[in-house]
Amino acid sequence: MPSADAEGNLARLPPDLRSFLAEHDHAVFRPPAPLSVVHEITALQHALWRAAAQPVIRLDRPRLADGTLGAMPVVTNLFASRALCAAALGIADHREAARSLAQLAARPIAPVVVARADAPVQAVVFQGSDADATRLPAFRQHVGDAGHYISAGHLTTCDPDSGTDNAGIQRCLIRGPRLLGCYLTEISHNYRNMRKFWARGEPCPVAIWLGHHPAVSIGAQTKQAYPASHWSAAGGTIGAPLRLVPSITHGEQIMVPADAEIVIEGFIPPNRLEAEGPFAEYTGYTGPQLANPVIEIACITQRRDAIYVDCGSGLPDHLIPDNLSLEGSIYAVCRSAAPALVNVHVPFSGRRYHAYLQFGEARRGEVRDTLAAALSYRRLKLVVAVDTDIDIFDDRHVMWALATRAQWHRDLMRIDGLTAPYLDPTLPRGWTTASKIAIDATLPQAKRPDAPRPVSPPNRVDTAALDKATALLGAVDTRQWPRA
Amino acid sequence: MSDEGSPHEKDGNTVWVSCPACAAWFHVTDALVDRGDVALRCPQCQASFLPGEAREIIRG
């Protein structure tokens, strides 16, 4: 990797969490009274979701599990807003995320390496018994969780054969001052790397980094081939080389982002499994306890005034960044097969299981081709195709299309035996594959461009009259009116 | 092609008529057009005309 100085790319301040928070201070909610990391801050996230408001939450003195006020600030709900995530990525309208992220993913930018003196995340180094994970204000989010979890840590490993990095957000249970539990799904690339080290009889070196500019976090989560670097993807999303520094424990074998807030370094000892979980997961259901590896902590590094970042599991905070990334991936793959594909939305309502695809004029078969391609994404269980007059960012509109534009004998595709999403609470015991469906809820095409579509036309009101009515309501406080 | 040709291809189910006076399109039932002796009324310009006098008829 080139050095930062040689590249001359570091003239401007590098993007980080605090620069993002300062830029978007208007979107940060600071609760006026202390809230506890045990349930209370997560409960606030649930309440905000019900109120359809998604600010970032920041508490400078959170109440800790022992009742005292902590000294380390916490930030959560950082990713809960599509609009804010889009802003972080430099996308003016979140509804353009699919196209924009597909373009960003196609333009990776290689990282640069900086010296430790230029790495804020290594300003403070705790080693030996001073490296104590229990001093982090990790949340106990939901009733039934096994304990306090690091929920927004990017667990980073490397492929021992190629040296290529891999990073993914994976939940980590704080088991003790110097021991974490971690959930590595068997299909994850981190799991693959870990097994390679174990096959050699060696512990797997890891680093977990928390707290960065949201664009870095979203870019680093982009699904990649194996092995493929996530650093370059993160560089693509910030439009500049990501600044890396060798980890204290592993050196250049495991690099970490120089501008992160906190890094936990350690090893996954071979073949040591312990019970981990339950944990309230992305599905909105609590996942079961299961046998998982542990991480022995060797070192914790942080900024001098580090901010701890949490991610509200199963809430928009958890799902929005991943879903945005998935929209970009689906668009990139499906658009190459279907020029009529206009846009993609992976809605929070479907967790990670549903996608809405919007089409312009498609040739016969094109919609179904695209639906079949989209179903190949492991996480998707249902894909719906609609026309451009349907707002794919409004579930009510998509439901209307399903109700009025589909005949099941004709428009429903079911494919069995496809890879199943992990933690799908409906999967029969022992199954690793699932049945998936796609629905073509588009209207039939007109026989020629100047003719109407051969179906009943949707109801509509005069455009000028609608504009007038919308302007009228804009001047009225509607909050006290019945909502249902 | 029609639904009979392939069970998975979408075709329409509506008859569209173009008004001979203003060319506006509106849709009617098959039965109304097939009768032939009931005058259609354009919702745009209120012109009244028999199906045989339509500017164009498209069966989806």
Side-chain angles (χ1 to χ4, degrees):
Chain A
M1 296 176 195
S3 74
D5 291 342
E7 286 291 308
N9 284 314
L10 305 179
R12 63 190 174 95
L13 284 175
D16 59 14
L17 174 64
R18 47 203 63 212
S19 67
F20 177 79
L21 293 174
E23 186 180 354
H24 298 280
D25 189 61
H26 62 282
V28 178
F29 175 45
R30 295 173 175 80
L35 293 174
S36 175
V37 299
V38 180
H39 301 320
E40 290 187 352
I41 305 174
T42 306
L44 175 61
Q45 290 180 274
H46 279 268
L48 284 167
W49 173 46
R50 289 175 187 175
Q54 297 295 6
V56 176
I57 300 170
R58 176 176 178 146
L59 291 101
D60 287 335
R61 301 293 308 274
R63 194 172 295 286
L64 304 178
D66 64 5
T68 62
L69 295 180
M72 183 179 284
V74 298
V75 163
T76 192
N77 231 37
L78 182 63
F79 301 99
S81 159
R82 283 183 64 96
L84 211 54
C85 285
L89 293 161
I91 301 169
D93 185 338
H94 73 86
R95 291 169 293 193
E96 297 295 324
R99 275 189 293 271
S100 298
L101 279 168
Q103 290 168 359
L104 289 172
R107 292 198 294 263
I109 298 175
V112 293
V113 179
V114 302
R116 181 179 163 189
D118 293 325
V121 78
Q122 292 182 347
V124 181
V125 177
F126 298 105
Q127 290 178 293
S129 59
D130 291 333
D132 180 355
T134 61
R135 67 180 181 79
L136 296 173
F139 291 21
R140 189 180 182 111
Q141 296 184 347
H142 292 93
V143 174
D145 284 355
H148 291 257
Y149 271 84
I150 296 169
S151 55
H154 292 258
L155 197 146
T156 304
T157 62
C158 69
D159 169 22
D161 297 329
S162 65
T164 306
D165 66 273
N166 184 71
I169 290 183
Q170 272 143 343
R171 73 190 197 205
C172 290
L173 170 65
I174 296 182
R175 310 187 75 99
R178 303 189 63 200
L179 190 67
L180 305 176
C182 64
Y183 180 28
L184 300 182
T185 57
E186 291 180 8
I187 54 168
S188 74
H189 294 171
N190 276 338
Y191 181 87
R192 203 159 157 179
N193 288 341
M194 179 190 74
R195 296 301 292 193
K196 283 188 178 181
F197 278 101
W198 285 10
R200 300 174 181 201
E202 299 174 11
C204 175
V206 300
I208 301 162
W209 51 276
L210 293 94
H212 210 307
H213 192 284
V216 172
S217 192
I218 293 171
Q221 289 182 71
T222 306
K223 297 290 174 261
Q224 303 281 344
Y226 180 86
S229 173
H230 287 240
W231 304 135
S232 300
T237 52
I238 59 173
L242 182 66
R243 288 169 17 105
L244 299 178
V245 65
S247 60
I248 299 290
T249 307
H250 312 298
E252 293 189 357
Q253 186 182 28
I254 302 286
M255 307 291 283
V256 294
D259 300 301
E261 294 291 323
I262 299 167
V263 172
I264 302 168
E265 302 174 4
F267 296 91
I268 304 177
N271 303 312
R272 177 177 168 185
L273 300 177
E274 296 194 12
E276 185 274 327
F279 184 69
E281 266 293 350
Y282 74 93
T283 54
Y285 296 86
T286 298
Q289 189 169 87
L290 63 172
N292 266 326
V294 298
I295 297 172
E296 294 172 345
I297 297 172
C299 175
I300 297 177
T301 78
Q302 64 174 70
R303 290 174 178 251
R304 292 195 193 287
D305 54 351
I307 300 169
Y308 178 84
V309 175
D310 167 84
C311 173
S313 189
L315 289 156
D317 192 22
H318 186 184
L319 287 150
I320 295 297
D322 206 44
N323 290 5
L324 288 171
S325 178
L326 187 55
E327 287 168 17
S329 299
I330 293 171
Y331 183 83
V333 168
C334 293
R335 172 78 178 176
S336 65
L341 180 66
V342 173
N343 207 351
V344 177
H345 181 213
V346 179
F348 173 78
S349 60
R351 302 291 157 155
R352 292 171 177 162
Y353 298 161
H354 296 174
Y356 304 150
L357 274 54
Q358 190 180 50
F359 289 84
E361 283 195 26
R363 65 186 185 281
R364 284 183 183 263
E366 186 175 353
V367 168
R368 292 172 71 90
D369 286 348
T370 314
L371 292 174
L375 281 182
S376 69
Y377 282 89
R378 173 175 53 86
R379 290 175 172 168
L380 296 181
K381 293 171 66 180
L382 165 67
V383 185
V384 179
V386 296
D387 298 292
T388 51
D389 68 321
I390 298 297
D391 181 357
I392 57 172
F393 297 93
D394 186 337
D395 282 334
R396 297 170 303 177
H397 235 217
V398 175
M399 286 296 127
W400 176 58
L402 283 176
T404 60
R405 302 185 181 188
Q407 279 290 326
W408 304 128
H409 77 280
R410 179 189 62 189
D411 299 322
L412 179 70
M413 298 166 60
R414 193 185 94 176
I415 306 179
D416 301 328
L418 300 184
T419 53
Y422 260 71
L423 296 175
D424 176 355
T426 69
L427 266 186
R429 177 178 284 115
W431 284 34
T432 56
T433 61
S435 296
K436 304 183 175 189
I437 61 169
I439 300 168
D440 178 359
T442 63
L443 293 171
Q445 296 290 334
K447 290 189 178 297
R448 57 171 202 263
D450 64 335
R453 289 183 189 251
V455 290
S456 295
N459 300 349
R460 65 186 180 94
V461 291
D462 178 76
T463 304
L466 185 59
D467 290 345
K468 184 177 178 180
T470 303
L472 173 71
L473 282 182
V476 177
D477 183 357
T478 63
R479 286 175 297 179
Q480 301 305 315
W481 293 351
R483 292 288 168 197
Chain B
M1 277 189 260
S2 67
D3 280 326
E4 289 77 28
S6 166
H8 301 300
E9 295 189 16
K10 290 200 175 194
D11 287 291
N13 55 5
T14 301
V15 180
W16 283 85
V17 176
S18 180
C19 171
C22 71
W25 288 99
F26 60 101
H27 73 301
V28 302
T29 62
D30 292 76
L32 179 56
V33 169
D34 291 344
R35 279 183 64 101
D37 59 350
V38 176
L40 313 181
R41 181 173 291 275
C42 174
Q44 182 74 26
C45 70
Q46 308 303 317
S48 184
F49 58 94
L50 291 171
E53 298 167 330
R55 186 166 174 267
E56 185 178 1
I57 294 176
I58 296 179
R59 289 181 189 263

